């Protein structure tokens, strides 16, 4: 085997590693949780009632990636997520991979990450922070595209009148998360 063949195999191996996302599913107070990691960090935290539905949503979100279930690798992440759901005041300090969104979505997600636990914001106020006072609908769309629940806390965004709006993982889960955070 010559050097080109060795380097070619190493490059192919690195490409597979970069395109691979590991994931695992665990339980929490608010349902099943799927956590997934790329080589950069956590790229998905999905919440639902069924492991099968979470796996399907996950596969739909990352159609071009190699998805590998790896409970051992993700066990610490799943434990951290479950602890955060139970006790949100401890925070959720996980490295995130937020590359899977448009530049606007990433800007929205960055602002959401700066909202302290126990605090809420309206879609309109969030749009104003982004310099887009008429962009509440676009902000809501960016929140709906968020695949990193809790890590990007879109559950902290409310309607202008302070009521709960739709939440990708269900309004009841949103209410439960906000209630836990309000009790801090």
């Amino acid at each position: 085997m010559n050097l080109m063949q060795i380097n070619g195999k190493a490059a192919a191996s690195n490409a597979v590693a970069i395109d691979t996302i590991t994931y695992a599913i665990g339980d929490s107070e608010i349902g099943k949780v799927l956590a997934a990691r790329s080589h950069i960090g956590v790229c998905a935290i999905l919440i639902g009632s069924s492991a099968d539905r979470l796996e399907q949503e996950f596969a739909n979100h990352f159609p071009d990636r190699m998805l590998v279930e790896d409970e051992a690798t993700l066990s610490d992440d799943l434990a951290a997520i479950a602890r955060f759901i139970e006790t949100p005041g401890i925070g959720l300090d996980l490295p995130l991979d937020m590359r899977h969104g448009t530049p606007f979505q990433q800007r929205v997600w960055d602002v959401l990450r700066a909202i302290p636990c126990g605090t809420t914001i309206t879609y309109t106020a969030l749009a104003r922070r982004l310099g887009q006072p008429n962009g509440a609908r676009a902000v809501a769309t960016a929140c709906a595209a968020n695949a990193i629940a809790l890590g990007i806390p879109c559950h902290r965004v409310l309607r202008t009148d302070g009521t709960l709006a739709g939440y990708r993982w269900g309004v009841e889960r949103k209410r439960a998360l906000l209630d836990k955070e309000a009790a801090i």
Side-chain angles (χ1 to χ4, degrees):
M1 193 177 284
N2 66 33
L3 188 56
M4 282 295 276
Q5 289 172 316
I6 292 170
N7 286 339
K9 285 188 177 192
S13 177
N14 286 341
V16 169
I18 289 172
D19 286 342
T20 299
I21 298 176
T22 56
Y23 75 96
I25 298 174
D27 293 309
S28 76
E29 286 184 7
I30 59 173
K32 299 279 185 195
V33 175
L34 182 147
R37 263 189 186 265
S38 69
H39 68 285
I40 292 174
V42 173
C43 58
I45 300 173
L46 308 178
I47 307 167
S49 301
S50 156
D52 290 339
R53 289 182 79 168
L54 287 175
E55 284 180 323
Q56 185 60 55
E57 179 181 353
F58 176 55
N60 291 343
H61 195 76
F62 296 99
D64 300 335
R65 306 290 182 181
M66 181 181 297
L67 308 177
V68 177
E69 189 167 9
D70 187 346
E71 195 170 315
T73 299
L74 278 289
S75 64
D76 288 345
D77 291 347
L78 286 170
I81 293 163
R83 276 192 306 273
F84 175 77
I85 291 168
E86 292 169 17
T87 315
I90 64 171
L92 185 62
D93 187 26
L94 296 171
L96 301 183
D97 177 357
M98 299 189 310
R99 298 171 300 151
H100 306 283
T102 67
F104 178 74
Q105 289 169 342
Q106 291 175 20
R107 284 181 49 223
V108 171
W109 300 341
D110 282 337
V111 173
L112 285 170
R113 293 188 66 217
I115 298 170
C117 183
T119 305
T120 58
I121 190 169
T122 66
Y123 292 101
T124 302
L126 186 54
R128 282 189 195 119
R129 277 194 194 177
L130 291 163
Q132 302 208 357
N134 297 319
R137 190 166 258 134
V139 164
T141 300
C143 289
N146 170 25
I148 310 176
L150 312 172
I152 300 171
C154 57
H155 65 277
R156 296 180 184 149
V157 186
L158 307 174
R159 290 185 176 134
T160 302
D161 65 4
T163 60
L164 299 183
Y167 183 55
R168 182 176 180 172
W169 296 284
V171 173
E172 289 307 313
R173 286 188 177 97
K174 182 174 187 168
R175 180 174 288 114
L177 291 167
L178 290 173
D179 287 349
K180 282 273 193 185
E181 290 185 8
I184 296 174

